[in-house]
Amino acid sequence: MSNVENFRPRSGYLLAFTAYFAISAFAYINVLDYGFQGGLPSIVWGLWLSVLLYLIFIHPKVIFSDEGLVIINPMKKVTIGWQEISEIDARFTMYVIHLPTGVRHHAFAAQAPGRYHSRNIHPNEVKGLRIGDSGMIRAGESPRSNSGAATAIARAKHENFGKSGNLVGLKFATEFNRTGLIIIATLFSLALATQFLHR
């Protein structure tokens, strides 16, 4: 892939690390009050919740390149070449439609804001954007939103791919996050076991 650009909202880091601090403080207080063995269930539950929050807030991203994009969601990774994308839009998240199958693939990292967000958009922010004949812009297309920023990047890359004529698009592929599922399931089982043993 060439001219790679990673898209991941910074707000995810803030939310995750705030939660990590709260989880760590809770586990630490339990260990101080009940000792290591008594606080072990809170430690394991904290680890399970931390991994879950990582998958939700930090793991998701969109990788843009001249040849296509890679959408990494909490439990699924989708690779699509620009030649196989028929539509790029944003509703609840930025999404692309895979032309051969007609399946809509959403990007968890590029979530749209509430529908009232569009009322706060200044006219200067939408200059140069393709917003249709009505002149109206949807909340998901706002350049200040994660979905709007990701959609603008995707549309620009898609258009450049069509104009180049000599680029080979990425091959379509999907991959399930088995490692994430195994870690989550293992920690959940350990948390239940430690909770049961310390009753």
Side-chain angles (χ1 to χ4, degrees), residues 144-190:
R144 286 189 292 154
S145 69
N146 292 327
S147 59
T151 299
I153 296 169
R155 286 174 177 167
K157 293 274 190 183
H158 187 257
E159 185 176 345
N160 290 338
F161 179 84
K163 289 178 179 177
S164 68
N166 59 353
L167 287 171
V168 178
L170 298 176
K171 185 178 179 182
F172 178 76
T174 61
E175 182 182 343
F176 183 71
N177 187 3
R178 285 182 291 182
T179 303
L181 180 62
I182 290 169
I183 293 172
I184 285 288
T186 302
L187 286 173
F188 185 75
S189 300
L190 285 173

Side-chain angles (χ1 to χ4, degrees), residues 23-122:
I23 292 165
S24 300
F26 179 74
Y28 180 69
I29 290 169
N30 273 289
V31 170
L32 286 179
D33 289 344
Y34 306 108
F36 179 76
Q37 286 190 342
L40 189 59
S42 63
I43 293 171
V44 181
W45 278 115
L47 286 172
W48 173 77
L49 186 56
S50 296
V51 173
L52 190 65
L53 292 173
Y54 169 83
L55 289 173
I56 294 171
F57 292 118
I58 298 176
H59 182 67
K61 66 178 177 178
V62 184
I63 304 171
F64 298 100
S65 71
D66 290 342
E67 297 81 14
L69 80 166
V70 180
I71 297 172
I72 299 176
N73 288 332
M75 300 307 296
K76 190 176 182 181
K77 176 181 175 182
V78 182
T79 303
I80 313 177
W82 295 121
Q83 77 282 1
E84 294 188 340
I85 292 176
S86 61
E87 185 180 344
I88 302 166
D89 209 340
R91 192 169 181 185
F92 303 108
T93 65
M94 182 204 85
Y95 66 85
V96 296
I97 295 179
H98 184 231
L99 182 61
T101 60
V103 175
R104 184 181 295 186
H105 295 281
H106 288 266
F108 196 87
Q111 296 184 5
R115 62 179 181 174
Y116 297 109
H117 175 80
S118 58
R119 296 178 180 177
N120 301 322
I121 298 172
H122 192 273

